Amino acid sequence: MSLTIRSLLGSLLLTLLAPSPSDAVIMKLTPLKEIISTEDWIFVTIVERVEPDRPGVVLRFAENLKGKAPFERLAVNLTGDTEAKQGNHTQIFLQRLAPKQQVILFTHQRGKRYIAFGFTEGSWFQMHGLIDESTKTVRWAFQHGEPYLRRTFKGTSAELRQVILDGLAGKKEPPVPNEKEKPGFGEPTVPMPKTTEEKPPQSWGEKIFPILAIEKAPTPWQTGFSGSTTLFAVIPTAVLAGPIALLAALFPGLFARLAIALKRWRAFLVIASTTSTLAFVYFWLRGYLPGTPWFGPQAFLLLMTTITAIGTLWAGRRYRRMATEDAAITLPPSRTEVRSLLGVAAALTITFGCVAYFGEAALLLDAPWRELVLIGLGLWAGLLYIGWRKATTPAAVSSPQVSLSTETAALGAMTLVSLTLLLLTWPRSSQVQVEFATAVGEASEPALPRLREVKILYRCNEPGGIAATPLVVDDTIYVGIAHEKANDFYGSIAAIDVKTGQERCPRFTNDDDLKPVFSGVTHAQGRLYVGEGFHQNQGCKLFLLNASNLQPLPGATAVETNSHTEGTPQLLGNQVVFAAGDDGVWSADAITGKKLWQYPPQSKTLHVDTPVTIVGSRIYAGSGYRENAVFCLDETGREIWKTTVPYRCFSQPLVLGKRVYVGLGTGNLLMDL
């Protein structure tokens, strides 16, 4: 493994932007052949007894399939980790574990730990075993279910046993993964135990709009989009018939009255349904479209603008034709029509408000929400036009009037706003900037260093990659490593000799319990500060280590958070300040590790991942989830100022003089346009 940032780990980070719990479920596509070849032991166990009250299960060894299993009985605590608690996995597996049932275990050892993946009748799960040095026994604990491994295999336990035997004997290749298989679990084998747990109360928004109920942090198998919350469970009806059909289902009384004026609004209804339906289709398919400008977001917005403009012309021609047939059509709309339009416009506006409040306001500028917003703006423009006509038309006038139809005014407003967005987002020519950069580069080129030779200095003896930024102190490189074996993800901290590339001392692994490391290392007075975990991890710690031997500092304790500690820690006087994911920004005593303060005091209100910037006694940081913001704190954690920004802030702020510069967005165009 070279001392470079592996593209694979970088891609993994970008796809896991929404926080998910603990060690996180395995979401990558995992071939069964790979699992069989990499695991040390594969064996069959039988459920001896299930103890729902504890909760727990006892498994008894039955048959070796690969290697000789070092266990006769496995007593497993089914409490589960954070992932299991959020997904109710303990109850799910209490339904799927019955006495005398077969459970196949794929197991390997890492230091003092055993990592096992279990399969029983279509359901996958993960559990860990820790060697107790005093009793020489292994304490087993259920971690969580693995719903995505159904893509690897979803048959029966007997079928999987035969597949393993055939694969190991070379008789038949194991089946390849099924990418289209939906995540989940096998069928229950026992009734669900009764529980008195109550469902959490619904918010007022969920009560009013249950169809648009939004979860703040959905689990991966609920969304199917690696944590993406972009559509917030909009029902498929919107895709098939556009927002008009959806609102008609929600507000039938309004649409019954609107049907009276259907003849006046035919063009608007057709254009609104067409653009919204195309927007939903484009949203679902754009990840599979060619990455050319012809299929890009600007091209799609141009298409939507063109369709709306054509609809405006169509509405105008229809109006003139209807006026020649029935001059009364030119009179101001009736009170019934106005009430219907007002009801629909208000319903759309409330919906957009819910999306902006519960989700992200930036979503309203991207397809498909953007097209729905344009429809709402068109309706409000039509209402304003009706108001203007009523205000300028004498009440006693009942003769035909030369006018513009409300439908045409609404579609015209939609076209104008869409065209404005198109002009604002259209790519600008970069010729001037390129020429300027070229000129500067040519002028300063002789002074720039050149890379003449590439040499691999260090390779780790375990699989994995380095995604953390290395730190060089004198003649030592300190760096965090992210390891992967089969579906086991863990980390270590290494101290490497700059000249020889050899490790100066044993790596720090936190007794084989260190999570993959993305955090850089900070050094001060012989002490090291480094976090653990990737974006999908929770319950991570900040460690205080001795720089000479990578051992925990005497008298110091690791700082345990509820989320992950990806951002490189920073020092401010006698405190170490670091990003703590869902926990925001934390400060701890730089000598003892005792927590000093947290901003904000409540978890899961901001999400800070990148290193904070410290200038003088001021701390600058950004949030890229839940609330997109940049903020400044003093040394006590008190907020000096906070500014909301339109996109995610996952960059470290740069402070120059009296200005703060931040890069916004994730780099993922599908999320940030």
Side-chain angles (χ1 to χ4, degrees):
M1 177 186 63
S2 59
L3 195 58
T4 56
I5 297 178
R6 295 292 180 88
S7 60
L8 176 61
L9 290 174
S11 301
L12 176 63
L13 175 66
L14 290 176
T15 56
L16 294 174
L17 285 170
S20 52
S22 192
D23 287 328
V25 298
I26 307 300
M27 296 179 63
K28 73 168 189 175
L29 199 64
T30 307
L32 184 57
K33 182 178 180 180
E34 176 184 323
I35 298 178
I36 294 174
S37 63
T38 55
E39 294 293 356
D40 297 333
W41 305 286
I42 305 175
F43 54 99
V44 180
T45 63
I46 302 296
V47 176
E48 188 171 287
R49 68 176 183 272
V50 181
E51 302 174 342
D53 295 334
R54 289 200 174 193
V57 62
V58 177
L59 305 177
R60 174 172 46 83
F61 169 80
E63 178 187 11
N64 284 313
L65 302 180
K66 178 184 178 182
K68 184 177 180 180
F71 317 105
E72 289 295 330
R73 295 174 77 252
L74 298 85
V76 185
N77 183 332
L78 288 179
T79 301
D81 57 12
T82 307
E83 185 82 54
K85 290 180 174 62
Q86 291 192 359
N88 199 30
H89 290 184
T90 297
Q91 292 300 321
I92 288 175
F93 276 90
L94 284 173
Q95 277 190 284
R96 288 158 176 81
L97 294 171
K100 299 182 180 181
Q101 185 173 317
Q102 284 190 348
V103 179
I104 300 177
L105 296 179
F106 302 79
T107 313
H108 66 270
Q109 185 175 3
R110 169 164 51 86
K112 299 178 182 179
R113 292 182 177 274
Y114 290 97
I115 313 299
F117 289 85
F119 177 88
T120 178
E121 306 303 337
S123 299
W124 288 86
F125 62 93
Q126 181 181 163
M127 63 184 195
H128 291 181
L130 179 64
I131 299 176
D132 189 326
E133 296 291 349
S134 59
T135 61
K136 302 300 180 183
T137 58
V138 179
R139 291 185 284 109
W140 288 95
F142 171 78
Q143 299 297 298
H144 50 253
E146 295 288 358
Y148 277 91
L149 289 185
R150 277 179 67 84
R151 299 180 302 181
T152 298
F153 188 84
K154 71 164 190 177
T156 66
S157 299
E159 290 170 344
L160 179 58
R161 173 185 174 276
Q162 192 59 50
V163 167
I164 295 171
L165 291 174
D166 291 343
L168 292 172
K171 295 180 180 180
K172 187 178 181 181
E173 286 286 312
V176 299
N178 179 10
E179 298 184 45
K180 297 182 179 180
E181 180 63 39
K182 295 181 180 180
F185 302 101
E187 293 297 322
T189 54
V190 295
M192 170 69 83
K194 293 184 179 179
T195 175
T196 58
E197 182 180 358
E198 297 182 356
K199 295 183 178 179
Q202 287 184 310
S203 65
W204 65 268
E206 292 171 334
K207 292 177 180 178
I208 299 175
F209 295 102
I211 203 167
L212 295 175
I214 298 167
E215 292 195 29
K216 286 292 185 181
T219 51
W221 57 91
Q222 288 173 322
T223 62
F225 290 97
S226 301
S228 172
T229 56
T230 307
L231 278 185
F232 304 109
V234 174
I235 63 171
T237 307
V239 179
L240 300 175
I244 303 301
L246 173 60
L247 290 172
L250 292 173
F251 307 100
L254 292 175
F255 273 79
R257 293 192 294 270
L258 184 61
I260 300 173
L262 182 61
K263 187 176 181 180
R264 291 176 180 245
W265 286 86
R266 183 178 302 165
F268 183 88
L269 293 175
V270 170
I271 296 302
S273 297
T274 300
T275 56
S276 58
T277 301
L278 287 176
F280 277 98
V281 172
Y282 177 74
F283 173 82
W284 291 113
L285 296 182
R286 61 184 175 180
Y288 303 95
L289 297 175
T292 64
W294 293 103
F295 294 91
Q298 275 74 31
F300 180 75
L301 182 55
L302 176 61
L303 174 63
M304 296 294 97
T305 305
T306 303
I307 292 175
T308 310
I310 293 173
T312 305
L313 296 175
W314 176 31
R317 294 191 61 180
R318 287 183 66 251
Y319 184 65
R320 289 196 298 272
R321 186 178 67 252
M322 288 188 298
T324 59
E325 298 173 356
D326 181 7
I329 201 75
T330 62
L331 294 174
S334 65
R335 185 173 300 178
T336 298
E337 183 175 345
V338 173
R339 288 176 177 174
S340 299
L341 292 176
L342 184 60
V344 176
L348 280 172
T349 303
I350 293 173
T351 300
F352 302 146
C354 291
V355 172
Y357 179 77
F358 292 105
E360 296 180 26
L363 290 174
L364 300 177
L365 296 177
D366 192 15
W369 287 108
R370 178 186 59 213
E371 280 61 39
L372 301 183
V373 170
L374 288 174
I375 294 170
L377 291 175
L379 291 174
W380 282 115
L383 287 167
L384 289 175
Y385 175 68
I386 292 173
W388 175 81
R389 284 204 61 195
K390 286 185 175 295
T392 57
T393 303
V397 173
S398 59
S399 59
Q401 304 291 312
V402 177
S403 64
L404 188 71
S405 71
T406 310
E407 178 186 57
T408 306
L411 287 170
M414 291 171 58
T415 304
L416 182 61
V417 175
S418 184
L419 182 61
T420 302
L421 289 175
L422 183 64
L423 294 176
L424 290 175
T425 58
W426 195 263
R428 304 297 196 273
S429 172
S430 58
Q431 181 178 359
V432 176
Q433 289 87 339
V434 171
E435 291 176 352
F436 175 76
T438 303
V440 173
E442 290 175 352
S444 59
E445 187 176 3
L448 296 177
R450 290 180 176 274
L451 183 64
R452 299 187 179 277
E453 180 184 1
V454 177
K455 181 177 70 172
I456 296 176
L457 177 67
Y458 171 76
R459 288 184 183 275
C460 184
N461 57 5
E462 295 181 52
I466 294 177
T469 302
L471 173 70
V472 180
V473 179
D474 298 327
D475 57 353
T476 304
I477 301 172
Y478 298 99
V479 67
I481 306 172
H483 299 284
E484 175 185 355
K485 180 179 180 181
N487 282 321
D488 181 16
F489 301 93
Y490 57 101
S492 64
I493 309 292
I496 305 162
D497 188 286
V498 169
K499 297 180 180 179
T500 65
Q502 300 298 313
E503 295 184 11
R504 288 185 170 274
C505 57
R507 280 180 274 127
F508 174 72
T509 64
N510 192 31
D511 290 333
D512 303 308
D513 195 32
L514 189 70
K515 294 179 173 62
V517 180
F518 189 82
S519 164
V521 181
T522 296
H523 176 273
Q525 301 178 353
R527 299 186 296 271
L528 300 179
Y529 304 89
V530 60
E532 66 173 348
F534 272 47
H535 199 79
Q536 66 268 34
N537 297 118
Q538 285 192 358
C540 298
K541 301 176 182 177
L542 180 83
F543 296 93
L544 287 67
L545 307 177
N546 190 319
S548 62
N549 57 17
L550 298 184
Q551 293 301 306
L553 290 173
T557 57
V559 188
E560 186 169 355
T561 73
N562 297 310
S563 190
H564 41 260
T565 53
E566 294 178 297
T568 303
Q570 307 293 321
L571 292 170
L572 175 57
N574 64 347
Q575 57 181 313
V576 55
V577 183
F578 59 97
D582 282 343
D583 284 353
V585 176
W586 275 37
S587 170
D589 188 284
I591 305 298
T592 65
K594 179 182 178 181
K595 180 182 176 181
L596 299 178
W597 51 261
Q598 174 184 355
Y599 172 86
Q602 299 83 18
S603 297
K604 296 187 177 182
T605 55
L606 296 176
H607 189 96
V608 184
D609 277 336
T610 45
V612 302
T613 296
I614 297 178
V615 178
S617 61
R618 294 291 184 262
I619 303 165
Y620 302 87
S623 170
Y625 189 70
R626 292 191 169 84
E627 180 181 356
N628 298 335
V630 180
F631 53 90
C632 173
L633 314 174
D634 67 11
E635 69 274 14
T636 67
R638 181 176 64 89
E639 180 185 299
I640 304 299
W641 54 259
K642 183 175 72 171
T643 300
T644 300
V645 292
Y647 305 107
R648 302 174 187 269
C649 183
F650 282 117
S651 71
Q652 183 177 11
L654 171 66
V655 180
L656 293 177
K658 295 183 178 181
R659 297 179 183 269
V660 179
Y661 300 86
V662 289
L664 300 181
T666 62
N668 185 332
L669 295 182
L670 299 185
M671 302 177 67
D672 293 333
L673 278 174

